Amino acid sequence: CVVSLSGLLMCQTTPSMRTPATASADAQVLTKAHQVNRAEIALGLLAQQKGENPKVQSFGQRMATDYKDNDREIAALAKQLGVAVGLQKDNKDKPVFSGSRHVDADFLHAVIERHRQAIAALRADQPKVSQAVVRNFIDRTLLVWQQHLDTAVSLQQQSPAK
């Protein structure tokens, strides 16, 4: 598995866990969402620990919590659907700016860019899924991701330019 700058990490299901074509889109969506979760948990924890602004720290904590909750839902759905989505912990998804002098600004920029990309990708994949439970999961996930994007934009607008 490899993390891209956008936070999307691609992993393949094992051959023994592959499902018919109609269900493979469901597994792919869950896999992509899981990989976004792993990257955003790391990003949120970094902001919580190293952020300068208490609002950024609090937002980082909220992101980490929300993405952990979302990942638990993915694990339950994957089990229910009988698909593998690479639920192992992976420490390769650490944010690239962890040594930055401007953690808050870099964090908010990363959140905005990564959320825009992840939301667009999830919306593009939504029509491809076959299971109602996965469509419902996508609807809930898009709501949370959009809230995170809106919060990051708001915090960025409140921050002084560096």
Side-chain angles (χ1 to χ4, degrees), residues 29 70 73 122-123 126 129 132-146:
V29 165
N70 191 269
E73 187 174 358
L122 194 56
R123 283 187 179 141
Q126 193 171 21
V129 300
V133 293
V134 178
R135 283 192 298 276
N136 293 337
F137 164 79
I138 291 171
D139 289 340
R140 289 188 304 278
T141 298
L142 284 171
L143 250 169
V144 172
W145 289 4
Q146 186 63 53

Side-chain angles (χ1 to χ4, degrees), residues 48-106:
Q48 182 183 359
Q49 297 165 1
K50 305 228 182 216
E52 301 157 1
N53 181 333
K55 289 181 181 179
V56 170
Q57 293 171 335
S58 177
F59 177 49
Q61 180 181 9
R62 185 176 120 213
M63 275 184 48
T65 299
D66 289 348
Y67 281 103
K68 286 176 186 177
D69 291 345
N70 191 269
D71 230 25
R72 282 190 280 279
E73 187 174 358
I74 289 172
L77 282 172
K79 185 176 181 181
Q80 176 184 342
L81 298 174
V83 296
V85 292
L87 294 173
Q88 75 281 358
K89 291 194 178 194
D90 188 351
N91 290 325
K92 296 178 185 176
D93 53 5
K94 294 195 184 301
V96 295
F97 62 87
S98 60
S100 171
R101 301 172 95 182
H102 307 290
V103 172
D104 290 357
D106 291 347

Side-chain angles (χ1 to χ4, degrees), residues 43-64 103-105 107-108 111 147-148 150-160:
L43 188 63
L45 291 173
L46 177 69
Q48 182 183 359
Q49 297 165 1
K50 305 228 182 216
E52 301 157 1
N53 181 333
K55 289 181 181 179
V56 170
Q57 293 171 335
S58 177
F59 177 49
Q61 180 181 9
R62 185 176 120 213
M63 275 184 48
V103 172
D104 290 357
F107 165 74
L108 293 171
V111 168
Q147 290 170 350
H148 290 169
D150 293 345
T151 300
V153 168
S154 175
L155 287 170
Q156 187 180 57
Q157 290 171 346
Q158 295 171 23
S159 298

Side-chain angles (χ1 to χ4, degrees), residues 18-47:
R18 291 187 194 262
T19 56
T22 57
S24 69
D26 297 334
Q28 289 175 4
V29 165
L30 294 176
T31 296
K32 288 178 186 179
H34 164 67
Q35 301 309 336
V36 168
N37 287 347
R38 300 310 312 158
E40 298 304 310
I41 289 167
L43 188 63
L45 291 173
L46 177 69

Side-chain angles (χ1 to χ4, degrees), residues 2-14:
V2 178
V3 174
S4 69
L5 185 56
S6 67
L8 297 176
L9 183 67
M10 299 304 295
C11 293
Q12 294 184 1
T13 57
T14 60

